[in-house]
Amino acid sequence: MWKKALSAALLATGLAASPAAWAEAPAPYQITPELEAAAKAEGKVVFYTATDVAVAEKLAELFKSKYPGIAVQVERAGSERVFQRIGQEYSTGIYNADVIETSDAVHFEYFKRQGWLAPMVPQEVADKWPADERDPDGNFAAYRAHLSVIAYRTDLMKDADAPKTWEDLLDPRFKDKMVKAHPGYSGTVMTSTFVLSQLLGWDYFEKLGKQNIMQVQSSTEPPKKLAQGERALEVDGNEYNVFRLIDEGKPIKIVYPDEGTPLAVGNAAVLKQAPNPNAAKLFYAFLFSLDAQQLNSDFGGLRSFHPGVKEKADRTPLSKIKILHSDPEKLEPEIPTIKANYEKYFGT
């Protein structure tokens, strides 16, 4: 019932609501001994995240090594599940989470309109983040980014036979060989489905749905199905999990299609009713630090907006990839259509 009500609310706010008048962003803040002491007195921060659990836990370990005495409770789920959980909790007066992060930018526009976010701007974000990758009112900022990519097993598919474009996936030779994630669970795939439906049309997905594709939920799962050899080709999956598998020696290659590759941005924010507000403020600033962002790149394979991050030499830089960007304001009213069409064409 709540999900239906929220979908209606999203549609209404996306189409009919006039923009609210927001205050200017608060002054940037730095991590001070006083903030650290207040955070340690609380002793805990709760992090709702859509980042792969291994990456999120590694980040938590780094935080605890820098700030001993503060536990990090990582609650990982797909972006749409995180969104639903926050909505359910806040609509019933339950406030469990301190810091949240998903890969669906629409979520943060909605949370902002609801007044559920605590505006704050870490100094690192104010000084180094591109203006279009942070909320002008200081409610959230882009903590990470990654691409939704095609990838294949080189031991199960020759390079010459691998797809080069999204349209190639419709070739009968790929039937029964593919795995893809679901836009109803994954914010990455919601973004990807939207931009590709705009680019290629819904008839493309109707044809793709006839290819007998293995359907999974999170964008973290298709790379894992490749790693296990259950499928030779992934239709969509997050780039960072593929990077990690390649680093582990798995025989996988990424395809950046000629038409372009969808970019998913993972925003982060502190909730207004955070039960541990000082620990939340400290953890939020930590997320944008060079140490955290470099870990995300090295271990997690994530893309970063921090200019100090050094990417591994064997990874294709974003400057050499044709990127497909998504506009959250245009995506939001299309969510019901995306979910309905997906169910119709893929049966799930």
Side-chain angles (χ1 to χ4, degrees):
M1 177 65 70
W2 181 87
K3 287 173 65 177
K4 290 182 179 178
L6 181 58
S7 294
L10 273 172
L11 186 59
T13 53
L15 292 178
S18 59
W22 303 103
E24 291 184 2
Y29 72 94
Q30 297 181 347
I31 296 174
T32 63
E34 292 77 18
L35 177 59
E36 289 187 42
K40 287 182 179 179
E42 292 169 349
K44 177 183 179 181
V45 63
V46 180
F47 184 36
Y48 284 14
T49 178
T51 301
D52 184 80
V53 66
V55 181
E57 292 286 3
K58 193 77 169 179
L59 191 79
E61 290 174 12
L62 177 61
F63 178 81
K64 289 184 286 185
S65 71
K66 294 176 73 69
Y67 305 103
I70 307 174
V72 181
Q73 181 179 329
V74 174
E75 298 283 344
R76 195 272 161 190
S79 289
E80 304 310 312
R81 295 295 184 267
V82 173
F83 176 65
Q84 291 162 11
R85 184 172 180 180
I86 294 297
Q88 289 168 337
E89 291 179 354
Y90 265 60
S91 65
T92 55
I94 298 173
Y95 308 116
N96 289 326
D98 293 304
V99 180
I100 57 172
E101 178 272 332
T102 83
S103 57
D104 191 334
V106 169
H107 297 166
F108 290 81
E109 297 293 344
Y110 177 79
F111 293 150
K112 177 180 174 180
R113 287 198 298 268
Q114 295 296 108
W116 293 350
L117 304 180
M120 61 182 67
V121 182
Q123 191 69 55
E124 201 86 349
V125 172
D127 292 345
K128 298 175 180 177
W129 252 244
D132 58 354
E133 300 302 343
R134 51 192 170 103
D135 177 47
D137 305 305
N139 288 268
F140 55 85
Y143 154 69
R144 64 178 171 100
H146 62 271
L147 299 171
S148 181
V149 299
I150 296 172
Y152 64 97
R153 295 258 327 197
T154 57
D155 58 339
L156 300 177
M157 185 176 294
K158 296 178 181 179
D159 290 349
D161 296 333
K164 304 297 188 295
T165 69
W166 295 105
E167 293 279 359
D168 285 347
L169 298 178
L170 304 181
D171 193 302
R173 74 180 188 274
F174 297 127
K175 190 171 184 178
D176 304 320
K177 296 181 179 179
M178 293 184 279
V179 57
K180 80 179 301 297
H182 198 293
Y185 185 90
S186 167
T188 298
V189 180
M190 175 64 75
T191 297
S192 175
T193 304
F194 172 67
V195 296
L196 291 178
S197 68
Q198 297 288 300
L199 180 69
L200 304 174
W202 278 111
D203 59 331
Y204 168 78
F205 284 96
E206 183 176 11
K207 295 173 184 175
L208 188 64
K210 297 175 182 177
Q211 289 284 65
N212 193 28
I213 296 172
M214 174 188 283
Q215 180 70 64
V216 294
Q217 290 186 320
S218 172
S219 69
T220 67
E221 294 181 50
K224 295 172 186 177
K225 295 299 182 184
L226 289 189
Q228 294 161 3
E230 293 187 43
R231 285 294 186 273
L233 176 64
E234 74 168 37
V235 177
D236 50 32
N238 67 57
E239 180 191 47
Y240 69 90
N241 274 95
V242 180
F243 279 153
R244 291 178 59 215
L245 292 170
I246 292 172
D247 288 345
E248 293 170 7
K250 295 293 190 295
I252 299 174
K253 280 190 177 181
I254 293 174
V255 176
Y256 300 107
D258 295 343
E259 305 100 324
T261 303
L263 178 73
V265 174
N267 288 313
V270 174
L271 288 166
K272 183 171 287 186
Q273 299 292 341
N276 306 289
N278 293 294
K281 190 173 184 179
L282 179 64
F283 187 74
Y284 187 60
F286 162 78
L287 289 180
F288 299 98
S289 68
L290 179 57
D291 286 347
Q293 292 290 308
Q294 190 67 59
L295 181 147
N296 277 350
S297 177
D298 292 343
F299 178 77
L302 291 162
R303 306 286 186 165
S304 174
F305 295 105
H306 196 302
V309 168
K310 308 295 184 186
E311 287 200 287
K312 292 183 177 180
D314 59 348
R315 293 177 184 166
T316 305
L318 286 178
S319 60
K320 295 186 177 181
I321 301 170
K322 183 178 180 181
I323 302 298
L324 299 177
H325 296 273
S326 172
D327 183 340
E329 291 185 2
K330 293 181 180 178
L331 167 57
E332 185 172 357
E334 293 300 317
I335 289 174
T337 298
I338 291 170
K339 291 182 176 180
N341 283 347
Y342 199 88
E343 182 176 357
K344 179 167 61 176
Y345 299 142
F346 293 88
T348 181

